Amino acid sequence: ISALQGKPLLDAIDPLLAAAEKHPQVAQQAIELLTSYKTFVKRIVPRLNSLLRHESPDIRSAALRGLVDHAVQFADHATRRARGH
């Protein structure tokens, strides 16, 4: 995961998703990094949705947390825009 942090964002998405899917012990860290890539959220959210059906409860949990974190960030941004901030 740390090796991917220095890569261009687009190049890191697929390896991070693969790591999250195959390795429950790093799923949360990989998904947190993925959801920080706000520019590519349209590409990431569908993949996180598919991880909600993964056989590993740790990976399902990490995917759900990632989706919730994204939703909270989106709602916060929308609220600020509505308030003119």
Side-chain angles (χ1 to χ4, degrees), residues 2-76:
S2 60
L4 294 171
Q5 289 176 329
K7 286 193 168 227
L9 301 180
L10 190 57
D11 293 342
I13 291 172
D14 288 329
L16 282 168
L17 285 165
E21 187 172 356
K22 293 177 185 166
H23 305 287
Q25 67 276 16
V26 299
Q28 186 63 42
Q29 184 181 5
I31 290 172
E32 284 175 5
L33 186 55
L34 282 166
T35 56
S36 72
Y37 295 162
K38 292 167 186 52
T39 307
F40 300 106
V41 74
K42 288 182 181 179
R43 183 172 174 190
I44 295 166
V45 168
R47 299 278 300 270
L48 291 179
N49 279 326
S50 71
L51 290 178
L52 293 174
R53 296 180 295 280
H54 197 278
E55 65 185 42
S56 167
D58 291 334
I59 292 175
R60 289 193 310 265
S61 175
L64 182 58
R65 278 183 259 158
L67 289 166
V68 168
D69 287 347
H70 166 69
V72 168
Q73 291 171 12
F74 178 80
D76 183 53

